[in-house]
Amino acid sequence: MAEIIIGTGAAVPAYVLDNDGVAELVETDDAWIRERTGIRQRHIAKEETTASLAEEAACRAVVDAGIAPNRIDLIVVATATANQRMPCVACEVQEKIGAQQAACFDLNAACTGFVLAYQTAAAYLKAGIYRTALVIGSDCMSQVIDWQDRSTCILFGDGAGAAVLQRQPGLSYLPVAGADGRKGEVLSCQALYEEQPFYKKSGDSGFLRMDGQAVFKFAVRKVPEAILEVLESNGLSTGDIDWFVIHQANRRIIESVARHLGISMERFLVNLQEYGNTSSASIPILLDEGKHSGRLKKGQRLVIAGFGAGLTWGASIVQIA
């Protein structure tokens, strides 16, 4: 049995902060940001929250899947920016969409979160424990960003994406995941945030800190390795994959991954120019855009790959219904 994506959904905040707006907060400009990251704007939560964005994306994914909410057996939410310690975001989503039969929990693996949440849900489905799962990535990174720190504030945005997975007859693929806790200090956030306007600046406590060069070197090495490993584990090559969907952190990273794999950028879905780095939400937002634009088609084989704080990484081969 295999897990198949039968529905997707996404949600982003209404407020858009372009690079010129960022330049009003920190010394930078549009050309500098675009050249180094490929990002031109990002969505910032003002009224929305991690939970409300997750709920909206979930509702859209369930409608897209064409199933009743009471058919969902499991809800897994990947997030590093939950609004509260408890209840978990997954339980809030369950209440909102009326999926009262579902088991619920959250998972935190930062930007790798959606990939690991997908793998977790897929394991439940393959084991025959559940038949239908809702997997969500949702983060409001603007709440943990120091808007005086140019190395991070230009990169991140807020959003949520969701996918409905269903156990169906078909070929099952082995996943790949890993972590290196020895390198945790290169990307860290020391305390839970308190709700605050995105532009507030108040010292170091609770803000994300990143060694950009170390993260870049890690990503351009580990992501191609993980992709090749997941392909080899399943007896496939890059030519067997229709689309590569990797975490949207920086266009230079994506281009480097393409070069390492020896494949064209045309086979990579990219939307970071519109949203920035939305952490655990980036891959499911990309899947939803690809599906509804017609680029992702029934029966296609995709690789999803994530990398992030921990340091963590993961890759899976997924199929679209």
Side-chain angles (χ1 to χ4, degrees):
M1 302 295 285
E3 79 282 358
I4 308 295
I5 296 177
I6 64 170
T8 60
V12 294
Y15 178 70
V16 176
L17 180 67
D18 63 17
N19 291 342
D20 290 332
V22 175
E24 295 178 4
L25 303 172
V26 68
E27 186 179 352
T28 189
D29 59 54
D30 176 64
W32 192 90
I33 297 172
R34 290 201 195 206
E35 178 186 352
R36 287 160 178 78
T37 70
I39 298 166
R40 67 179 181 86
Q41 65 178 41
R42 71 284 296 143
H43 292 250
I44 301 295
K46 288 193 169 182
E47 303 297 329
E48 304 88 351
T49 66
T50 295
S52 71
L53 291 169
E55 292 162 2
E56 185 177 349
C59 288
R60 292 176 177 175
V62 172
V63 170
D64 187 54
I67 63 170
N70 62 11
R71 290 180 58 192
I72 298 171
D73 305 308
L74 174 67
I75 302 173
V76 184
V77 175
T79 185
T81 59
N83 308 96
Q84 56 195 16
R85 293 179 185 270
M86 59 186 81
C88 65
V89 177
C91 284
E92 295 184 82
V93 171
Q94 183 208 52
E95 190 278 331
K96 179 69 174 182
I97 68 175
Q100 299 306 315
Q101 306 303 313
C104 301
F105 59 89
D106 290 357
L107 178 156
N108 179 3
C111 299
T112 317
F114 180 80
V115 174
L116 296 188
Y118 179 97
Q119 293 178 355
T120 301
Y124 276 103
L125 300 187
K126 291 173 183 176
I129 299 171
Y130 302 123
R131 184 170 186 269
T132 305
L134 174 61
V135 182
I136 304 166
S138 183
D139 272 306
C140 287
M141 296 302 294
S142 65
Q143 298 295 327
V144 295
I145 294 301
D146 180 350
W147 291 90
Q148 291 181 320
D149 178 9
R150 187 176 66 170
S151 68
T152 58
C153 75
I154 65 172
L155 298 173
F156 292 92
D158 304 336
V164 178
L165 280 59
Q166 193 168 80
R167 186 178 75 243
Q168 295 184 5
L171 182 62
S172 178
Y173 296 103
L174 297 171
V176 164
D180 184 356
R182 297 169 301 176
K183 302 291 181 64
E185 75 284 352
V186 305
L187 182 52
S188 64
C189 186
Q190 296 298 324
L192 292 173
Y193 70 88
E194 297 177 356
E195 280 199 41
Q196 57 188 0
F198 80 89
Y199 49 81
K200 185 176 180 181
K201 313 172 186 69
S202 57
D204 292 338
S205 178
F207 289 128
L208 181 147
R209 294 300 177 207
M210 181 175 69
D211 180 338
Q213 288 190 347
V215 173
F216 185 91
K217 290 177 181 178
F218 155 72
V220 299
R221 174 180 56 85
K222 185 53 67 175
V223 175
E225 287 180 1
I227 291 173
L228 291 174
E229 183 180 351
V230 79
L231 291 175
E232 183 179 356
S233 297
N234 292 282
L236 300 172
S237 68
T238 57
D240 297 313
I241 303 301
D242 295 289
W243 292 99
F244 293 85
V245 184
I246 73 172
H247 171 52
Q248 303 288 286
N250 185 310
R251 186 174 179 90
R252 287 181 173 180
I253 292 175
I254 302 171
E255 291 171 343
S256 178
V257 171
R259 286 195 301 271
H260 276 80
L261 295 175
I263 57 181
S264 169
M265 273 292 290
E266 294 180 356
R267 294 171 62 194
F268 286 77
L269 296 182
V270 179
N271 68 359
L272 63 85
Q273 66 277 4
E274 302 294 329
Y275 305 106
N277 180 346
T278 55
S279 191
S280 67
S282 74
I283 289 175
I285 290 175
L286 201 53
L287 288 172
D288 184 62
E289 286 196 346
K291 185 172 185 288
H292 291 98
S293 69
R295 287 177 292 174
L296 302 186
K297 304 180 187 301
K298 181 177 180 179
Q300 287 184 334
R301 191 185 286 133
L302 288 59
V303 166
I304 61 172
F307 58 93
L311 293 169
T312 57
W313 62 88
S316 285
I317 297 170
V318 308
Q319 299 174 83
I320 303 290

